[in-house]
Amino acid sequence: MKKLVNEPMAKAKTHFVCQECGSTYSKWSGQCRGCHQWNTLVEETLTPTLKSGARGWSVSEDSHQPGSRPKVHRLDRKLEQANDQRHRTGFQELDRVLGGGLVPGSFVLLGGDPGIGKSTLLLQMAGGLAKNKQHVLYISGEESVHQSALRAQRLGITSSQVEVASESLMENILSLTKDIRPDVLIVDSIQTVYLSELTAAPGSVSQVRECAAQLMALAKGQNIAVFIIGHVTKDGNIAGPKTLAHMVDTVLSFEGDSSYQFRLLRAQKNRFGATNELGVFQMKTEGLAEVDNPSEMFLEERGSDLMGSSVFAAMEGSRPLLCEIQGLTSSSPMAMPRRTSLGFDTNRVHLLVAVLDKHLDLGLSKCDVFVNVVGGLKITEPAADLAVAAALISTTNFQEMDGQTCFFGEIGLTGEVRRCQFADERIKEAEKLGFNHFVLPESNKKHLTKLLSKLNGNVVWIKRVAQLPAILKSLRQNNTSTKPKERDLF
Ligand code: TYD
Ligand code: MG
């Protein structure tokens, strides 16, 4: 006789996934061996990886079945349709960061701190795309339809080409997209959507990875441009697995300081353009507005006391940008004085302080040194060295700077000032804003022959950093004696 035994239910297999880097382990441990972060392992039920396209679409229509031959294109043949046609998003700043407009079928990830304006940017972009005859579906997993619609209304988006919905179940998002067939799909945010087949919580590594895979298949298979919003971790990286950044075509980051109204949009990765472009926006009561002249904005609050303040002509991608660099030194009782820097590499400050001490005997080794790039900008170019050095010399020697001078040049360890690229673009931008004196590396001279006649001798060439204090002094004296009235206005 068969024994009736209550068979115990099979225990679901689980594994531990690092929520920072996505590494998986069979046992829990306090620290992830992959990324060395603590307390990031979370137990998740093991589910077989979903085949992208099982429910939605596959990357290519032809590769549905195993054994089917993928489509091959020989490059000497003409493409059937012009796939490189890009769409204007309504924001020139966003178009530039995307590499010249939105590519149909692209998969874009936008990351940024909470409340920085990601939803606002993409909703306004939806409005802009609609004006260019693009059909946009905006799906929010964070806000109700009413809230999204209200926000769109407040932002002045009234087009019939934009539809908003509230949904967080991935299967429903895919079927709604299949129904509506938009040109552009926006999912706000990837951390709130989930596939019901997976038991892991929304926002967990496996949910984010699988949902992103579904959306990628949708973008590539149906030629729908897909935007996803991603939350960021406390150290500023996009939350979720690293594979997320590998999957998408473009990773955009929206940054800004909560104390400033402006927002900076950068591309961290872009398969359709350069990654060093910068878009500048301003958050206003009626939404985000583009900033046409960012240099003017960054110099807006430049004070009248110009001790320790210099102007640097930076290059952000293809665009020149003027910014104010402030330096402050104060004697320190500490054996190891502080070197603090905001918006500029602290290691580079250490290097510059050592070079200035060696060649100018400023006594900085006994001083705390502070460097600040005004307006929350982050300067990574070594071309800022000369402007930082000028600000530090000015503050240490209690010398006021000439307010109409602009600097750029890289400083080497032997005290030489080295050539910079894009000198003419930088000078033209500075001239537009009324800067009429320039301190430039001498090695740039031969590349600027065309501009030189126009500049009328207002350029001071510098070869070694040791010349800088004398140059600053002469510039100040010349300008004070020639334009006393203008200077009083400061
Ligand atoms: P939001 O787009 O919701 O940010 P995110 O999606 O990145 O979390 O923007 C929220 C902030 O923007 C909020 O603090 C208020 C501000 N804001 C304005 O100042 N003006 C506006 O017109 C809008 C829509 C938002
Ligand atoms: Mg939001």
Side-chain angles (χ1 to χ4, degrees), residues 113-120 151 154-155 283-287:
D113 284 332
I116 203 83
K118 301 180 293 296
S119 309
T120 311
R151 188 203 288 248
R154 218 160 51 77
L155 294 169
M283 184 60 97
K284 297 187 169 170
T285 42
E286 65 277 12

Side-chain angles (χ1 to χ4, degrees), residues 96 148 240 300 334 351 420:
R96 208 186 40 251
S148 298
E300 214 168 53
M334 314 285 279
L351 189 148
C420 293

Side-chain angles (χ1 to χ4, degrees), residues 118-120 138 142-143 151 188 229:
K118 301 180 293 296
S119 309
T120 311
Y138 178 100
E142 301 187 344
E143 291 172 54
R151 188 203 288 248
D188 183 1
I229 289 179

Side-chain angles (χ1 to χ4, degrees), residues 132-151:
N132 293 321
K133 305 207 167 44
Q134 293 292 295
H135 187 178
V136 188
L137 174 60
Y138 178 100
I139 299 181
S140 178
E142 301 187 344
E143 291 172 54
S144 68
V145 190
H146 184 72
Q147 282 173 325
S148 298
L150 209 66
R151 188 203 288 248

Side-chain angles (χ1 to χ4, degrees), residues 107 109 208 212 228 238-251 268-271:
F107 190 23
L109 168 65
V208 167
I228 52 176
I238 290 165
K242 199 90 199 140
T243 42
L244 190 58
H246 289 294
M247 276 168 148
V248 297
D249 297 317
T250 306
V251 180
Q268 289 175 358
K269 164 188 174 177
N270 194 357
R271 288 190 183 141

